Amino acid sequence: MIDILHKFVAKVFRDIFKKKKHFKLGLYGPPNSGKTTLANRVTEDWLGEKMGSVSKMPHETREIVVKEQINIKSGKKELSFNLIDTPGIATKIDYEDFVKAGMSVKKSKKRAKEATKGVVDAIKWLDDVDVVVIVLDATQDPYSQVNITIIGNMQARDTPVLVVANKVDLKKADIKKVQAAFPQYDVVGISAKYGNNIDEFYEALFAVVG
Amino acid sequence: MLTLQFIPYSDIESLTLDQKIKKLLGVVKNEKIVVMEGRLKKTEEAELIKATMENISNKFKGIEISVVYPENKTETLGKKLKSGLAELLLGERQGLTVIGPATLIKEIKKNPDKIQLLTAEKKRKRKK
């Protein structure tokens, strides 16, 4: 009974959502999973420009970045959205990790401070996005509590979710593990860096938005 | 000294979200590991992460959190009904939530024997 009610509410929500012409698409995930690389891939594909800088050092994106009015097309289908690239959500930030990676103490402390603010902002934005793409590093364990918390929050808000298993170009990547961790969602394996399976990603996005 | 602090569900069920977070973070910031009966709602976990970030300093580097929760993917209808009933009756009371200071967990990860060493040390002290 509860399940039927839940599905009904979700359907009503989806129907209302379908009537929206424009929506906000949030990219969420842990640090260094490739959110900005994917954002750059999307904006380069459809706007011909990059969205943000990427780095091997975690917490390169420390502020919410919004790129407005992206229109993507596939045959007769068309989607129009604002793309929101968010800082990676973490439960811990240690400036000493940046120092170990070669950054000065002063810069590391500044980066850590900005990163903490970035996480707070990313969580605040959870209420403002209409569709979420969870970007996970397919070489890492998907069962981290942060991933479960992000997805659980989307579930609680009835927000449509697409899970992206990124970095499939790497040998250690394991899409099946990501699929097993989140069986209730569509999971698409891509390499945002090299563009592998990016068309499947767009198709999956159309499917999730409905 | 490694200290685990058990928090029964009855201690937090009547608290507001802010009070819960204050209580949990207060324990963790005191270098203790919280073992809480039950679990937070996902939205509460997000608020806990937010509050953790707001508390990060040169000394407090954040938290590690893990929720141990009975698996929902049961195979038989009987088991499904049983877990559904448990969910209905117990709600967030089911499972265990473990929250620890990130620096302490990092130390334990580096040297898992530390837990045994510290427990042994505690036992020796008790004997005296």
Side-chain angles (χ1 to χ4, degrees):
Chain A
M1 186 65 192
I2 292 168
D3 196 37
I4 293 167
L5 193 66
H6 178 80
K7 279 178 183 164
F8 174 74
V9 172
K11 190 187 175 303
V12 170
F13 176 84
R14 271 200 303 275
D15 288 348
I16 293 167
F17 178 71
K18 267 185 199 171
K19 285 170 192 162
K20 272 190 177 180
K21 284 181 181 171
H22 195 79
F23 63 93
K24 283 178 265 181
L25 175 69
L27 297 179
Y28 275 86
N32 258 28
S33 60
K35 295 176 290 301
T36 305
T37 309
L38 178 58
N40 284 341
R41 174 67 54 188
V42 173
T43 54
E44 275 182 307
D45 281 353
W46 302 98
L47 298 176
E49 59 189 62
K50 281 193 175 182
M51 194 161 166
S53 64
V54 294
S55 162
K56 281 185 178 175
M57 199 178 287
H59 300 288
E60 178 68 9
T61 306
R62 300 183 294 283
E63 282 179 350
I64 304 281
V65 184
V66 182
K67 188 62 92 180
E68 292 188 348
Q69 203 67 41
I70 298 174
N71 299 302
I72 68 171
K73 289 174 188 171
S74 173
K76 285 181 181 175
K77 295 179 283 183
E78 193 171 343
L79 288 180
S80 174
F81 55 86
N82 288 354
L83 185 61
I84 296 131
D85 185 22
T86 67
I89 295 185
T91 58
K92 56 182 191 287
I93 294 171
D94 186 350
Y95 79 90
E96 287 177 41
D97 290 339
F98 305 135
V99 176
K100 278 176 202 158
M103 202 173 257
S104 72
V105 172
K106 196 180 170 188
K107 278 186 179 173
S108 297
K109 285 185 177 174
K110 186 172 177 271
R111 190 181 181 93
K113 199 173 180 187
E114 289 169 354
T116 58
K117 194 182 169 299
V119 176
V120 172
D121 289 343
I123 292 172
K124 282 182 185 167
W125 265 82
L126 283 171
D127 289 321
D128 293 321
V129 289
D130 302 307
V131 179
V132 162
V133 173
I134 309 270
V135 185
L136 302 178
D137 179 343
T139 68
Q140 302 289 317
D141 178 13
Y143 293 94
S144 80
Q145 194 59 41
V146 164
N147 295 346
I148 295 166
T149 302
I150 300 171
I151 289 190
N153 270 270
M154 294 301 107
Q155 242 170 352
R157 290 166 169 83
D158 261 330
T159 307
V161 169
L162 171 63
V163 178
V164 162
N166 191 24
K167 307 191 185 181
V168 295
D169 53 294
L170 300 175
K171 273 186 182 175
K172 272 178 71 188
D174 190 345
I175 305 171
K176 282 184 181 164
K177 206 171 174 185
V178 179
Q179 283 167 332
F182 306 108
Q184 68 276 45
Y185 292 110
D186 289 330
V187 176
V188 57
I190 66 160
S191 166
K193 190 175 178 180
Y194 298 107
N196 305 6
N197 294 345
I198 204 70
D199 289 336
E200 283 85 341
F201 163 72
Y202 292 128
E203 281 305 316
L205 194 59
F206 276 104
V208 165
V209 175
Chain B
M1 174 65 70
L2 180 75
T3 314
L4 304 181
Q5 182 164 333
F6 181 70
I7 301 182
Y9 190 74
S10 55
D11 272 17
I12 58 149
E13 67 178 328
S14 57
L15 299 182
T16 64
L17 176 60
D18 285 347
Q19 288 168 330
K20 273 184 204 173
I21 288 171
K22 202 176 169 189
K23 186 177 179 88
L24 295 171
L25 275 185
V27 176
V28 176
K29 283 178 83 177
N30 268 331
E31 294 287 297
K32 291 177 189 170
I33 294 176
V34 171
V35 180
M36 186 184 90
E37 182 191 9
R39 60 195 200 279
L40 297 170
K41 293 187 182 94
K42 292 295 167 217
T43 47
E44 291 177 331
E45 274 179 24
E47 290 302 315
L48 175 66
I49 295 173
K50 210 163 91 180
T52 301
M53 289 297 121
E54 285 161 349
N55 274 276
I56 282 192
S57 63
N58 290 345
K59 198 180 163 217
F60 178 64
K61 310 283 175 67
I63 60 167
E64 291 274 12
I65 176 167
S66 178
V67 182
V68 186
Y69 178 61
E71 190 55 67
N72 274 334
K73 284 186 283 173
T74 46
E75 289 150 18
T76 64
L77 184 66
K79 278 186 183 173
K80 255 185 190 171
L81 280 171
K82 208 172 159 186
S83 73
L85 193 65
E87 178 75 35
L88 199 68
L89 295 172
L90 300 170
E92 265 84 40
R93 193 176 207 133
Q94 284 192 102
L96 273 182
T97 303
V98 183
I99 308 166
T103 39
L104 188 60
I105 306 294
K106 199 174 176 182
E107 264 181 66
I108 295 169
K109 275 183 184 167
K110 267 188 204 164
N111 180 15
D113 292 339
K114 188 170 179 169
I115 290 183
Q116 284 178 337
L117 283 171
L118 291 166
T119 320
E121 190 182 314
K122 208 172 179 180
K123 273 181 188 167
R124 273 201 303 275
K125 276 184 184 171
R126 271 188 195 156
K127 275 182 186 172
K128 282 174 192 175

